[in-house]
Each structure stands twice: as C-alpha cells, then as structure tokens.
Amino acid sequence: MQDQITSILEHMAKSQHELARTLEAKREVIAHMAKMVSEIPDQNPSFGEIEALMEHSLSITKGLTSYLNSLADLEDAIADNLSPIVKAMKEQPGDE
C-alpha cells in the first residue's frame, strides 16, 4: 500500500510541476503586460481611438483573471489529490 501511495504521489508531483511551469509562463506574460500598462502616462495619453485602448485593457484584465483562476485551479487540484492520500496514510497502522 505504501508503494502505491508513493507512486501516486510521484505522478501527482510530476503533473503538478508541469502545471506550475505553465503558470510560470503565464505569470511572465502577465507581468510583462502589467509593466506595459504602468508605462502609460497618467495625463493626456495619445492612443488614437478609445475603442482600441478599451480592447487592450480588457485583454490585459482577461489575462490576469485567467492566470489567477489557473492558480486557484492548481490549488484545488493539489487539495483534491492529496486529501485521499493523507486520509489513507492516517488510516494505516503505525508504519513509519
């Protein structure tokens, strides 16, 4: 039983590591987008049409929201996957 739990944990760790790498890539994109936004002058910006500005702002907001939702999904996946493992380990008699 302990070997199965160890194997499951190893597979979960690998998949969650891949998820973390994906999130890291998303984080870098979001950080770059946020830096671009911070470069916008506070007064009298000349962007041309306001519609383009609104579209880009919406795109940045969607990207940030997607990144934060992905972080929440990763947290939920970790919790969902570890709960049965922790429960199984607690139920085992003093095998340590």
Side-chain angles (χ1 to χ4, degrees):
M1 180 68 171
Q2 190 67 29
D3 290 338
Q4 289 176 337
I5 290 173
T6 302
S7 177
I8 290 169
L9 285 174
E10 287 172 355
H11 289 290
M12 286 175 23
K14 184 177 179 181
S15 67
Q16 289 169 357
H17 177 72
E18 291 300 319
L19 283 171
R21 287 183 51 202
T22 302
L23 289 174
E24 178 65 20
K26 279 187 176 184
R27 184 195 64 80
E28 289 180 20
V29 169
I30 295 300
H32 181 70
M33 291 169 71
K35 181 163 176 37
M36 289 174 28
V37 168
S38 69
E39 297 296 322
I40 297 172
D42 291 335
Q43 297 185 357
N44 299 324
S46 57
F47 295 111
E49 296 181 25
I50 191 73
E51 289 81 18
L53 176 62
M54 296 288 283
E55 282 182 40
H56 293 295
S57 297
L58 182 59
S59 174
I60 291 169
T61 303
K62 285 180 179 180
L64 181 59
T65 302
S66 172
Y67 172 69
L68 293 175
N69 282 334
S70 297
L71 283 178
D73 291 344
L74 176 60
E75 182 180 356
D76 288 343
I78 290 170
D80 290 345
N81 290 325
L82 288 180
S83 293
I85 301 298
V86 171
K87 183 179 178 183
M89 291 178 76
K90 284 183 180 178
E91 291 175 354
Q92 286 184 349
D95 282 327
E96 291 186 29

